[in-house]
Amino acid sequence: MPRFRLRTFGTLRLVGAADDTILGEHGHQRRRLALLAVLAASGERGRSRDQLLGLFWPDVPQSRARHSLEQLLYAIRTSLDESVFTGLNPVCLNPACIGSDIGDFANALSRGEREAAVEMYRGPFLEGFYLNDAPEFEQWMEAERDRIERSYTEALERLAKSAEDANDFAAAARWLLKLIDTDPVSSKHAIGLIRALMNAGDHAAALRYAERYEAIVGQELGTSVGPAVAALVAEVRARAKSESVVVRGAGPTTKRERDTDSATPSLLPPEAATNTAQPIAAPFRVRRRAMVLYGVAALVLAALALVGSRLLPRVAEGPASATAGASIAVLPLANVSGDPRDGPLADGLTEELIGGLAKIDRLRVVARTSAFVFNKSDLDPRQIADSLHVANILQGGVQKIGQRIRVQVRLVDGHDGSTRWAETYDRELKDIFLVQSEIATAVARELDLRLGGRTIAALRRAPTQNIAAYDLYLRGSDPALLRSDSGMQLSVDYFRKAIALDSTYAAAYAGLARMYLVSLLSQGVASSAREVYALAEEAALKAVALDDSLSDAHATVGLLLLLRYDFAAAEKELERARALDPGQYRTYRTLITLAYWKERPADALAEANRMVDLDPLSAGAHVELARAQCANGQYAQGLARLKSLEAIRPRLQRIPSYAATCHSMKGDWPAAVAALRPYQDNPADYRGRGWLGFALAHSGQRREALAVLADVTAHWQRSKQGAFEVAVVNAGLGNRDQAFEWLNRSVDDLSLSENIMLPMFGDLRGDPRFERLRSRLRF
């Protein structure tokens, strides 16, 4: 028997024969424990000294690092036993001196003794353990934790499958309960357990667990179960009813149930069958960070049940329909330097990789919004891949050390969680764009995708040689700055400073143009719309002139042309932007707007579906899909989707107006008014107020509509902006002459909206004066 035993599942500690703690987690003992854990997980092969130096002292000069390692090894030998190591390069633990639960677990699996192995598992590897100054060790620990947990769950899955094959459904239920312990919201495990209980004849237990699972999903994810679970629940309820089985806790029991209970105990433990929402977390060891992540995703997917609800069949054509094998999500690269000021660098590199990979033909790349949902996630990559409907995951970390960077990345197979490829890049900071190119090229090679010469050139092109300008560009691109007028102005300042450092930086010009347009469209400008438009146009055209291959620049020019009602030229620019970067979210939203202008609602729906395919967890994408559904007469689906998105905080400003648009197209004016009530006490949002006045007029509340008309007219007189809203209220009141007068003014102040082409304005479009308006709009 070994003299000492290292416990790595759960709290890390070293104990003696009498179960007394020899090394705890305090002070200098933490690093000794960490070294022992690395060696125990490495097994008989141990670790070379160079590997240990890289794990524990990556940024320390070699001479100092080697001295620190010698001291650490000496301290362990003197405090435990001289025979604790069997070799010192590679460094190996002596199993006769120190045993470990991780070693026993690995050995049991290698012998095929899965039942013994799963009994040894006591929770996540090194749970709660950390070393402040060793980011490489932290990354190693996270990877090992994931690997070991995958081994554990795979063993449980095989045990459950073997039990099912042997018709031992009671045993299958026991193994499935352990699986559910690792992932309480997994529909796959829930279905397996319910079927096992049904096959074992315990329909009452199956029904109790099914109802409990519904409560778990509702509480933790804020959504309903998918159709497969719902169908199974219906089936088990029908069976339970046909056998007169009464669920315990739901009412008085029958004599048959009492007799059955006394003869055949339930296969479920009481805590796993209780149908209450309060103690859900008690029987399940759920990692809180994972559940926080589920909560974030639930904000977008709340009650949508994206796959399960079948709100709309998926669109199969277009750029999003790449084969399942040629799909990838780039997860946010971790900032492992410990300095929050380096966060934009990590996020920027992530976005550059997303954009670079999107240039590769036949590769579907999930857009930024959905990928960044999984920021700082400890979910299994297979779960993430399943959520995003991709076959591969790219993940890693970035460490900035002075003027150098270290980038570690690995490509993970989304089906089995195995690492397909991994690499570490140690470079000068100025070579960051070269690193991006090398990573994208390596991923393409691993996925067996051919790169054309033009794609290779695009990947290798550095947007700027000025790293300080690049840093400013990254800060200006922070989405958090879009939440306020002051944030948008700060973004503009960052882009201007980047341009001041590099006057040839096309992406900075494109970012500046985009931010001008955002402020214009969000009512966040004090200047006239024409002045802001001119600034945006100047910057966007400069960006295209500097770099004609920049998708963002062409997308911005396309939007500018659309705002100027030059639809043919806008479509040409937008298609050019899409060809350059098929994964660009903003391009699709503008294409949707263009489809409404051209009275092609089916095209708007197709583009919205493509946008959701590329960005499945984006609330903005789902909002656009909801409006497109309503524009195509699918009112129930569109309104249900909008309703499910109301829980998002901060709330998307478009939701009330889009919901009102759907109700208006149906002719349900009271519902439209109710949807727009948030604008009633917000006179600053003149666009929402205009729609409210329109709905009030149609619902017969003429006095309130006239009050809104006075408000939006006064706003236009002060700012000379928002003529379209004045036209909308006049249209609702039946003042057709005034409506056309203000529609013509809205062309001049750039406020005319594509909504004019939707069904609720059919009476205006039937007026001969609308044809004259169309001629102004270059149709």
Side-chain angles (χ1 to χ4, degrees):
M1 288 286 291
R3 291 183 53 199
F4 306 104
R5 183 164 182 78
L6 188 68
R7 296 182 179 173
T8 65
F9 292 138
T11 302
L12 175 61
R13 60 195 181 111
L14 183 72
V15 299
D19 225 25
D20 297 324
T21 298
I22 306 301
L23 285 181
E25 288 191 54
H26 303 289
H28 61 277
Q29 296 185 17
R30 294 183 67 85
R31 196 169 295 270
R32 299 182 195 178
L33 277 173
L35 176 62
L36 292 174
V38 169
L39 297 176
S42 301
E44 294 180 1
R45 69 184 183 277
R47 285 271 169 164
S48 71
R49 285 174 169 254
D50 287 342
Q51 288 174 324
L52 293 175
L53 295 177
L55 278 177
F56 292 105
W57 300 280
D59 304 322
V60 176
Q62 285 287 305
S63 58
R64 279 182 51 199
R66 291 188 183 281
H67 178 68
S68 298
L69 177 59
E70 292 297 341
Q71 285 188 317
L72 183 57
L73 295 174
Y74 175 78
I76 293 173
R77 289 198 304 270
T78 55
S79 61
L80 298 179
D81 192 306
E82 284 292 333
S83 63
V84 69
F85 303 119
T86 58
L88 292 179
N89 198 16
V91 182
C92 302
L93 284 182
N94 181 359
C97 183
I98 295 184
S100 68
D101 52 5
I102 181 60
D104 293 343
F105 174 80
N107 291 334
L109 286 179
S110 65
R111 295 191 300 267
E113 299 170 359
R114 297 189 186 93
E115 189 167 347
V118 299
E119 291 301 325
M120 297 174 190
Y121 188 83
R122 292 289 184 272
F125 179 66
L126 306 190
E127 186 173 28
F129 189 83
Y130 66 93
L131 290 178
N132 281 329
D133 57 347
E136 302 288 339
F137 169 79
E138 294 286 326
Q139 284 195 328
W140 170 85
M141 182 174 64
E142 289 289 340
E144 281 296 292
R145 186 176 294 156
D146 290 344
R147 181 187 65 80
I148 294 164
E149 185 169 324
R150 284 197 301 272
S151 298
Y152 172 67
T153 57
E154 286 169 2
L156 286 172
E157 288 172 351
R158 291 194 178 191
L159 286 167
K161 181 66 166 58
S162 297
E164 289 173 357
D165 292 344
N167 293 326
D168 188 351
F169 300 111
R174 289 197 300 274
W175 300 127
L176 285 162
L177 272 172
K178 287 182 176 290
L179 272 173
I180 285 168
D181 192 20
T182 67
D183 189 359
V185 295
S186 166
S187 61
K188 174 185 173 183
H189 300 336
I191 289 171
L193 177 59
I194 294 169
R195 287 212 175 277
L197 293 170
M198 290 172 65
N199 290 331
D202 196 345
H203 297 113
L207 182 55
R208 284 196 299 276
Y209 177 73
E211 293 178 341
R212 175 167 179 76
Y213 177 70
E214 289 179 318
I216 292 172
V217 172
Q219 175 178 304
E220 299 292 354
L221 303 186
T223 184
S224 59
V225 297
V229 179
L232 193 57
V233 172
E235 180 184 345
V236 72
R237 281 191 177 125
R239 290 197 189 183
K241 184 177 181 180
S242 67
E243 297 181 13
S244 302
V245 179
V246 179
V247 180
R248 281 186 293 270
T253 59
T254 64
K255 181 179 187 301
R256 173 176 175 174
E257 182 189 30
R258 290 193 298 272
D259 292 343
T260 302
D261 288 347
S262 62
T264 308
S266 172
L267 295 175
L268 281 183
E271 67 273 14
T274 306
N275 183 26
T276 60
Q278 168 62 27
I280 284 176
F284 299 120
R285 294 191 301 273
V286 183
R287 288 178 292 180
R288 292 313 306 167
R289 280 197 294 168
M291 297 320 296
V292 167
L293 171 61
Y294 278 121
V296 172
L299 292 180
V300 180
L301 302 174
L304 270 177
L306 280 178
V307 177
S309 64
R310 297 294 191 268
L311 290 176
L312 186 76
R314 313 301 290 179
V315 172
E317 71 272 11
S321 62
T323 62
S327 55
I328 191 170
V330 183
L331 301 190
L333 297 176
N335 170 25
V336 297
S337 68
D339 188 344
R341 290 175 297 181
D342 295 335
L345 179 67
D347 290 346
L349 180 53
T350 305
E351 292 198 56
E352 293 288 349
L353 284 171
I354 291 173
L357 290 169
K359 293 181 172 69
I360 300 173
D361 290 339
R362 298 178 294 108
L363 178 63
R364 183 173 76 87
V365 185
V366 168
R368 179 195 193 278
T369 306
S370 296
F372 273 66
V373 164
F374 299 94
N375 192 22
K376 298 181 180 178
S377 163
D378 56 0
L379 277 184
D380 189 310
R382 292 175 298 178
Q383 294 173 296
I384 299 175
D386 185 60
S387 299
L388 296 176
H389 310 296
V390 294
N392 302 280
I393 296 290
L394 187 68
Q395 60 183 182
V398 182
Q399 183 179 18
K400 182 172 176 286
I401 313 139
Q403 291 303 305
R404 295 189 65 82
I405 56 167
R406 174 179 290 131
V407 182
Q408 289 186 313
V409 287
R410 69 176 184 135
L411 182 66
V412 180
D413 190 309
H415 299 300
D416 59 17
S418 63
T419 298
R420 300 184 59 166
W421 164 82
E423 189 58 83
T424 299
Y425 300 85
D426 282 296
R427 301 289 174 78
E428 296 289 332
L429 184 58
K430 63 182 177 63
D431 294 327
I432 186 170
F433 303 116
L434 180 60
V435 171
Q436 295 166 187
S437 168
E438 291 180 2
I439 293 173
T441 303
V443 169
R445 182 173 58 248
E446 185 61 37
L447 299 182
D448 198 24
L449 296 171
R450 297 174 66 90
L451 297 181
R454 184 176 301 177
T455 302
I456 293 173
L459 292 174
R460 291 178 177 174
R461 184 182 297 114
T464 179
Q465 298 299 323
N466 191 311
I467 294 301
Y470 179 61
D471 180 68
L472 289 165
Y473 170 79
L474 294 178
R475 297 180 189 281
S477 301
D478 187 349
L481 298 179
L482 298 174
R483 298 172 186 168
S484 65
D485 294 347
S486 59
M488 286 188 279
Q489 184 55 53
L490 182 59
S491 178
V492 167
D493 291 342
Y494 278 132
F495 288 132
R496 283 175 174 166
K497 289 176 180 177
I499 291 168
L501 291 176
D502 182 357
S503 61
T504 65
Y505 195 174
Y509 282 104
L512 180 61
R514 184 175 68 248
M515 196 52 59
Y516 281 138
L517 279 177
V518 168
S519 63
L520 174 64
L521 297 173
S522 64
Q523 310 172 60
V525 294
S527 307
S528 75
R530 289 284 179 181
E531 290 175 1
V532 178
Y533 181 95
L535 291 171
E537 184 178 43
E538 179 185 10
L541 293 177
K542 180 72 171 178
V544 172
L546 288 169
D547 186 355
D548 187 56
S549 68
L550 193 60
S551 172
D552 196 17
H554 285 283
T556 304
V557 171
L559 179 54
L560 284 162
L561 290 166
L562 192 64
L563 291 175
R564 207 169 64 198
Y565 317 114
D566 191 345
F567 303 117
E571 187 167 20
K572 181 180 178 181
E573 287 293 328
L574 293 169
E575 291 299 347
R576 169 77 170 143
R578 171 154 51 190
L580 290 167
D581 183 357
Q584 179 57 261
Y585 166 87
R586 289 184 291 272
T587 304
Y588 287 91
R589 184 173 177 189
T590 312
L591 282 166
I592 291 169
T593 303
L594 177 64
Y596 291 131
W597 272 118
K598 303 188 81 169
E599 296 184 89
R600 298 177 185 169
D603 288 353
L605 184 58
E607 297 293 358
N609 267 294
R610 292 187 185 106
M611 185 161 63
V612 169
D613 282 336
L614 287 167
D615 212 353
L617 302 185
S618 164
H622 284 281
V623 166
E624 293 302 328
L625 178 54
R627 182 167 69 145
Q629 288 173 320
C630 291
N632 283 270
Q634 300 169 6
Y635 302 119
Q637 296 98 316
L639 288 168
R641 193 176 293 269
L642 289 170
K643 179 69 174 176
S644 67
L645 292 166
E646 289 180 351
I648 296 173
R649 293 296 179 272
R651 187 177 184 180
L652 273 72
Q653 293 182 345
R654 285 172 280 165
I655 290 179
S657 63
Y658 279 20
T661 300
C662 290
H663 290 303
S664 299
M665 286 189 278
K666 285 177 61 181
D668 188 349
W669 298 108
V673 171
L676 291 164
R677 284 299 182 189
Y679 299 121
Q680 187 169 12
D681 300 321
N682 186 14
D685 193 334
Y686 63 88
R687 289 176 183 158
R689 296 274 291 167
W691 278 109
L692 176 61
F694 178 71
L696 286 167
H698 274 287
S699 64
Q701 301 177 61
R702 189 173 181 84
R703 180 178 298 177
E704 290 187 58
L706 287 169
V708 173
L709 177 61
D711 286 345
V712 294
T713 304
H715 170 81
W716 185 88
Q717 290 170 341
R718 290 191 305 270
S719 65
K720 296 299 183 286
Q721 297 176 45
F724 181 67
E725 282 62 45
V726 183
V728 162
V729 184
N730 274 300
L733 289 166
N735 303 331
R736 191 167 293 185
D737 292 344
Q738 292 93 326
F740 276 101
E741 176 187 345
W742 285 99
L743 282 174
N744 278 289
R745 288 180 180 174
S746 72
V747 176
D748 297 325
D749 73 2
L750 304 179
S751 65
L752 182 62
S753 167
E754 73 278 5
N755 288 319
I756 194 67
M757 311 305 291
L758 293 177
M760 60 273 201
F761 291 110
D763 57 338
L764 289 181
R765 293 201 307 282
D767 191 296
R769 286 171 287 187
F770 195 80
E771 287 305 312
R772 293 196 291 273
L773 181 67
R774 286 171 65 95
S775 67
R776 290 194 64 192
L777 300 180
R778 307 188 193 188
F779 274 101

